[in-house]
């Protein structure tokens, strides 16, 4: 499950704009042709690097769910993925909302999810 995209992942709808905002840089989560993004410590297999010793090599997926929302899925990481300070249950997708905050293991950086609907602009 860790190397393959989750079965629920679909291409992002064209009207949604999504971004993972970190303390040093931001990452687009709505690139054309990309269903989801793997986060972790291993550069060879991850789309977004978490450069901290408590992050797992393959820590989590962030992707577009077939039900029309963005979600995060912890891959059974040793030190956990935290959504708004709550540790996620491994292998269970959790919905992300605009302003959701993510933390990975004991990494001191917090990441924020920014989602906007271009239809409402």
């Amino acid at each position: 499950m860790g190397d393959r995209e989750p079965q629920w992942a679909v291409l992002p709808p064209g009207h949604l704009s999504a971004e993972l905002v970190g303390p040093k840089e931001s990452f687009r989560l709505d690139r054309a042709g990309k269903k989801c993004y793997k986060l972790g410590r291993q550069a060879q297999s991850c789309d977004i690097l978490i450069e901290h010793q408590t992050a797992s090599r393959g820590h989590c997926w962030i992707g577009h769910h077939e039900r029309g929302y963005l979600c995060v899925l912890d891959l059974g990481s040793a030190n956990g993925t935290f959504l708004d300070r709550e540790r996620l249950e491994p292998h269970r997708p959790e919905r992300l909302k605009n302003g959701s905050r993510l933390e990975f293991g004991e990494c001191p950086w917090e990441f924020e999810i920014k989602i906007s609907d271009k239809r409402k602009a």
Side-chain angles (χ1 to χ4, degrees), residues 6-103:
Q7 290 182 326
W8 46 257
V10 297
L11 292 174
H15 61 87
L16 271 186
S17 174
E19 189 174 14
L20 178 67
V21 180
K24 297 179 183 177
E25 59 187 312
S26 297
F27 306 94
R28 301 292 312 175
L29 300 173
D30 55 6
R31 295 192 304 242
K34 192 96 171 124
K35 296 176 183 179
C36 55
Y37 302 82
K38 189 175 184 182
L39 286 74
R41 209 178 62 228
Q42 189 171 47
Q44 301 90 329
S45 65
C46 293
D47 301 300
I48 299 172
L49 287 180
I50 305 170
E51 297 184 82
H52 193 267
Q53 66 271 17
T54 64
S56 294
R57 287 174 286 182
H59 200 92
C60 68
W61 284 103
I62 294 179
H64 298 273
H65 199 283
E66 62 192 353
R67 292 189 180 147
Y69 51 82
L70 194 66
C71 64
V72 60
L73 175 83
D74 181 87
L75 292 171
S77 62
N79 295 301
T81 300
F82 298 82
L83 173 58
D84 296 326
R85 307 245 189 255
E86 296 289 325
R87 188 173 181 147
L88 299 180
E89 184 179 319
H91 309 291
R92 180 177 163 197
E94 290 289 337
R95 186 176 188 160
L96 295 170
K97 298 177 182 155
N98 187 46
S100 291
R101 299 204 176 268
L102 289 171
E103 297 170 272

